[in-house]
Amino acid sequence: MVWLQKLFTTKTETDNNTLSEHSGERDWVTVDPKMFGNCKIFFSTNQSIDVYELEELCDSVGWARRPLRKVRKALQHSYLVASIWEFRGARSYLIGFARATSDHAFNATIWDVVIHPRFQSKGLGKAFMRYMINKLRSNDISNVTLFADPQVVDFYRCLGFIPDPEGIKGMFWYPE
Amino acid sequence: MVWLQKLFTTKTETDNNTLSEHSGERDWVTVDPKMFGNCKIFFSTNQSIDVYELEELCDSVGWARRPLRKVRKALQHSYLVASIWEFRGARSYLIGFARATSDHAFNATIWDVVIHPRFQSKGLGKAFMRYMINKLRSNDISNVTLFADPQVVDFYRCLGFIPDPEGIKGMFWYPE
């Protein structure tokens, strides 16, 4: 997994490619050709997100559809919107996504982590989470949290997330 | 606990009292005189918060001090800042506080819930949390979450919060 170690030394460039429909800084990921072939992949925290493309990505992992109006609002009001892109034939395709809400000072909570099935189980998700954590920590956010479905608790554990630290319980409100 | 049932029928008024150093809408709470004497108490979601007064309140429950610059930033970037005030001698005193981060669409997470020890164990905290949940739900936020210390898990359970629903775990990131 050489590419994971190299991740944070990747070249960041500003997109001036008028052929691409997305604009913003790209953090190119050095990937293992044995796993990814000749894929060109980059991470970003400021690429504009097309909600239809995001819905397609969420469809690919079987998530329930959500009102696009609310998705758009949630994107606008997320502190960090991070995405993974495959660059192919002068176009970028959304293959991963996550976002975080925050008070910009102490706490950030990561939501909606999704990786296209074609790119799962190759270490890309872990690198992407490290990228997000790195962004949050570099902005002086001390407390990074999330709510993990049972099947991904171990995935997050590998990244340094602890469930119920010191007995602190994640709780969800349900109408009484 | 008549006053709890009456809570959401309390009179809301806009503060035009120039003697008060705080401004904003007040949701007056009907309290049981047996428990509260002749205290006049109101909730608000738009009273301006003096960070020094907030630190004093946090001191009263033994919380660690935090940089005021960051506290100020966190208040600015919280979706909901709710407070409880005792109105006494034409002045309002901060006796309770909580805030929520949110994406303004799907999720809200409640942080920093504090009630002055003098006003604890009288049902005020529960009424205050119901007030917050009501505000969030009336803004069409479907998912209200929090991270509860072990000693307050039952407090939140009474309010309709479920720990680890369907095995979803609250997780905190710690440096690897």
Side-chain angles (χ1 to χ4, degrees):
Chain A
M1 289 293 186
V2 177
W3 65 274
L4 279 182
Q5 290 156 23
K6 283 187 183 168
L7 181 67
F8 295 116
T9 64
T10 51
K11 198 175 62 167
T12 296
E13 60 180 41
T14 305
D15 180 13
N16 290 316
N17 186 346
T18 51
L19 289 173
S20 168
E21 75 281 35
H22 299 288
S23 62
E25 265 185 9
R26 298 168 170 192
D27 292 305
W28 290 97
V29 182
T30 309
V31 296
D32 184 345
K34 281 182 210 145
M35 277 187 162
F36 289 89
N38 58 1
C39 271
K40 292 173 83 176
I41 290 174
F42 65 89
F43 294 166
S44 179
T45 55
N46 60 6
Q47 294 279 309
S48 60
I49 305 283
D50 177 312
V51 287
Y52 295 98
E53 202 172 356
L54 178 58
E55 280 304 278
E56 253 178 59
L57 176 62
C58 295
D59 283 350
S60 77
V61 294
W63 287 7
R65 288 255 168 154
R66 301 179 296 182
L68 292 183
R69 178 189 59 80
K70 288 193 82 172
V71 172
R72 219 173 265 121
K73 197 172 178 189
L75 291 177
Q76 269 167 18
H77 295 282
S78 291
Y79 174 65
L80 184 66
V81 175
S83 47
I84 317 179
W85 303 83
E86 185 191 9
F87 189 73
R88 183 161 35 89
R91 247 210 78 175
S92 305
Y93 297 87
L94 184 69
I95 60 166
F97 175 88
R99 62 189 179 91
T101 49
S102 176
D103 58 17
H104 301 210
F106 300 108
N107 308 305
T109 310
I110 296 172
W111 305 96
D112 295 352
V113 180
V114 54
I115 308 284
H116 191 283
R118 198 156 57 85
F119 292 90
Q120 287 179 11
S121 308
K122 295 172 191 244
L124 195 62
K126 282 205 177 93
F128 184 50
M129 282 298 100
R130 287 204 180 96
Y131 173 78
M132 276 197 88
I133 294 162
N134 203 45
K135 290 275 176 191
L136 294 168
R137 298 281 294 179
S138 68
N139 287 352
D140 204 22
I141 306 288
S142 44
N143 189 32
V144 180
T145 58
L146 53 79
F147 296 97
D149 284 328
Q151 67 274 18
V152 289
V153 166
D154 285 339
F155 168 82
Y156 289 113
R157 213 191 286 265
C158 289
L159 288 161
F161 284 92
I162 313 280
D164 306 342
E166 297 172 46
I168 299 169
K169 296 299 277 183
M171 300 183 85
F172 287 67
W173 186 78
Y174 289 83
E176 286 170 288
Chain B
M1 288 293 185
V2 177
W3 64 275
L4 279 183
Q5 290 156 22
K6 284 188 184 170
L7 181 66
F8 295 117
T9 63
T10 52
K11 198 176 60 165
T12 295
E13 59 180 42
T14 305
D15 179 14
N16 290 316
N17 185 346
T18 52
L19 288 173
S20 168
E21 75 281 34
H22 300 287
S23 63
E25 265 186 9
R26 298 169 169 190
D27 290 305
W28 290 97
V29 182
T30 309
V31 296
D32 183 345
K34 282 182 207 140
M35 276 187 164
F36 289 89
N38 56 2
C39 270
K40 291 173 82 176
I41 290 173
F42 65 90
F43 294 166
S44 179
T45 55
N46 60 4
Q47 293 279 308
S48 59
I49 304 284
D50 177 312
V51 286
Y52 296 98
E53 201 171 357
L54 178 58
E55 280 304 277
E56 252 178 59
L57 175 63
C58 294
D59 283 351
S60 77
V61 293
W63 287 5
R65 287 256 169 154
R66 299 179 297 181
L68 292 183
R69 177 189 59 81
K70 287 194 80 170
V71 173
R72 217 172 266 123
K73 198 173 176 186
L75 291 178
Q76 270 166 19
H77 295 282
S78 291
Y79 174 66
L80 184 68
V81 174
S83 48
I84 315 179
W85 303 84
E86 184 191 10
F87 189 73
R88 182 159 38 90
R91 246 211 79 174
S92 305
Y93 297 86
L94 183 69
I95 60 166
F97 175 87
R99 63 189 176 90
T101 49
S102 177
D103 57 17
H104 301 209
F106 300 108
N107 307 305
T109 311
I110 296 173
W111 305 95
D112 296 352
V113 180
V114 53
I115 308 284
H116 191 283
R118 197 156 57 85
F119 292 90
Q120 288 179 11
S121 308
K122 295 170 191 244
L124 195 61
K126 281 205 180 93
F128 185 49
M129 282 298 100
R130 288 203 181 96
Y131 173 77
M132 275 196 87
I133 293 163
N134 203 46
K135 291 275 175 189
L136 293 169
R137 297 281 294 180
S138 67
N139 287 351
D140 202 22
I141 307 285
S142 45
N143 189 33
V144 180
T145 58
L146 51 79
F147 296 96
D149 285 328
Q151 67 275 16
V152 288
V153 166
D154 284 339
F155 168 82
Y156 289 112
R157 214 190 286 265
C158 290
L159 288 160
F161 285 92
I162 313 279
D164 307 341
E166 297 171 47
I168 298 169
K169 296 299 279 184
M171 299 183 87
F172 286 68
W173 186 79
Y174 288 84
E176 287 171 285

